[in-house]
Amino acid sequence: MARVAGRGLAVLALLALAALIAGVAGFAVVTAQVPGINAVYVDGAIPLDPTDSFWQQMEKAEISLVSQNIVYPMAGYEDVRTLRVAAAVSSEGILAIYLEWDDPTMDVPQPGGIDEYPDKVAVQFPLSSDSLPYICMGTTEQPVSIVLWSASGSTETLIAGSAYGMSPEHREALGLHSVPTSPIELVPPEAQVWGSNAVYKDGKWMVVLYRPTGSIHELVPTLKPGSETSVAFAVWQGSKAEVGGKKSTSAWFTMRLGMPEAAPGETVTVTETQPGETVYETVTETVTRGGLGLALAGFIAGVIIYTVAVAAYIYLVRPRR
């Protein structure tokens, strides 16, 4: 029995040694890779035509979208679509997001049409970087900003989740109605900053959404070169009568905005002011320290387990003289 126990402890010792090595190497700090979207930095103008070779040749992130299972009729999780996403930010102060998805039908409502629904796509951003809001259009404590493109010809900037979380005075100061009529609202004209270009070709939609960078309005997230934000996506397929909550949605993803490369010995500084910039730096620093803390904890735990296992092995198995 002592020998069996000894073999088990020897295995335990080897596992502890592996944990120790992993802790030293830093492997223990990584639990999962979160997919991201990198907005490339462009010195000059960004082509806003979605068929331009600039977008067609760019590497795109593939985002899985799953049909909602909340609003009736429920489509079920078997209906999975893929949204291909790329982004760019320019020295001229423009952020552009390219969105492409397969759609066998081009659904553009005609005047006087009956039960015709337009194809749509939306990009959602949190207004705060403290923590991620509820994915389904935020909450009163954590509202979200949404840009909604429709094949009917409109591009709108919306605010969701904030309708019942602000005082009437605050709402009026932001350009909203003092009394909300819906949890999803149009932001005032001065905050309608998104433009769009769209093309339907070869069974797919190609849409470029674009806006100025920097700080614009309290109801619109501040985005500038060198910053990062979270984004989520939604697509409505008109041929399936998708409207409102009937849509396909994604999870949250990280989008990083590129910045100009510094020459040797030179430091590049983005001079635009950004509310919440300190928060971004604090979050990054916290994650870094957390990773080092986990590595150190793994190292110490490995040393303790290894020492105990070796001592037990010596006591139980080593031949006594």
Side-chain angles (χ1 to χ4, degrees):
M1 291 295 293
R3 291 185 178 276
V4 173
R7 291 192 188 101
L9 287 170
V11 172
L12 178 62
L14 291 174
L15 291 175
L17 180 59
L20 184 152
I21 295 171
V24 173
F27 299 137
V29 304
V30 179
T31 57
Q33 281 291 335
V34 179
I37 301 161
N38 294 317
V40 300
Y41 183 84
V42 175
D43 188 8
I46 298 173
L48 300 179
D49 178 0
T51 63
D52 192 279
S53 60
F54 173 83
W55 296 110
Q56 297 307 309
Q57 296 174 8
M58 187 180 294
E59 184 178 356
K60 301 170 182 65
E62 295 201 350
I63 308 297
S64 293
L65 303 135
V66 179
S67 292
Q68 63 79 31
N69 206 32
I70 300 174
V71 178
Y72 286 93
M74 298 180 184
Y77 288 106
E78 71 280 356
D79 187 9
V80 178
R81 305 169 194 172
T82 299
L83 185 67
R84 296 173 287 275
V85 181
V89 61
S90 78
S91 60
E92 299 182 354
I94 295 294
L95 167 66
I97 301 175
Y98 174 90
L99 306 164
E100 175 187 298
W101 69 99
D102 298 325
D103 190 338
T105 60
M106 177 182 178
D107 300 305
V108 179
Q110 302 297 324
I114 299 176
D115 292 333
E116 291 190 16
Y117 301 92
D119 295 324
K120 297 180 182 180
V121 67
V123 185
Q124 176 176 274
F125 303 85
L127 285 182
S128 171
S129 61
D130 292 339
S131 60
L132 284 179
Y134 176 49
I135 190 68
C136 293
M137 296 180 292
T139 64
T140 54
E141 292 79 20
Q142 293 181 299
V144 294
S145 175
I146 300 171
V147 52
L148 174 65
W149 171 89
S150 172
S152 62
S154 65
T155 303
E156 300 173 328
T157 306
L158 309 166
I159 182 74
S162 67
Y164 307 102
M166 299 180 186
S167 68
E169 295 77 16
H170 189 192
R171 291 177 55 80
E172 288 182 347
L174 293 176
L176 300 171
H177 295 294
S178 59
V179 179
T181 58
S182 169
I184 306 173
E185 305 172 273
L186 281 171
V187 299
E190 61 270 23
Q192 293 289 342
V193 296
W194 285 94
S196 67
N197 288 316
V199 173
Y200 181 84
K201 184 179 180 181
D202 299 330
K204 65 183 178 183
W205 277 108
M206 295 171 283
V207 178
V208 171
L209 301 172
Y210 56 90
R211 57 155 280 188
T213 57
S215 179
I216 298 169
H217 191 278
E218 187 176 330
L219 298 178
V220 178
T222 298
L223 300 171
K224 69 174 186 179
S227 68
E228 75 175 38
T229 184
S230 296
V231 289
F233 305 91
V235 168
W236 290 258
Q237 191 166 328
S239 61
K240 293 189 174 184
E242 293 183 345
V243 65
K246 292 188 289 185
K247 59 190 175 183
S248 293
T249 59
S250 78
W252 285 109
F253 293 84
T254 299
M255 184 170 72
R256 303 173 183 86
L257 279 65
M259 61 187 303
E261 295 184 3
E266 179 186 7
T267 301
V268 174
T269 303
V270 179
T271 57
E272 292 175 299
T273 58
Q274 177 179 359
E277 183 174 359
T278 303
V279 175
Y280 284 121
E281 293 176 353
T282 302
V283 170
T284 303
E285 185 179 3
T286 301
V287 170
T288 303
R289 289 180 178 177
L292 291 175
L294 286 173
L296 182 58
F299 176 80
I300 294 173
V303 170
I304 294 172
I305 295 173
Y306 180 76
T307 302
V308 171
V310 170
Y313 175 80
I314 293 173
Y315 178 79
L316 296 173
V317 179
R318 187 176 178 182
R320 306 187 190 288
R321 295 182 181 179

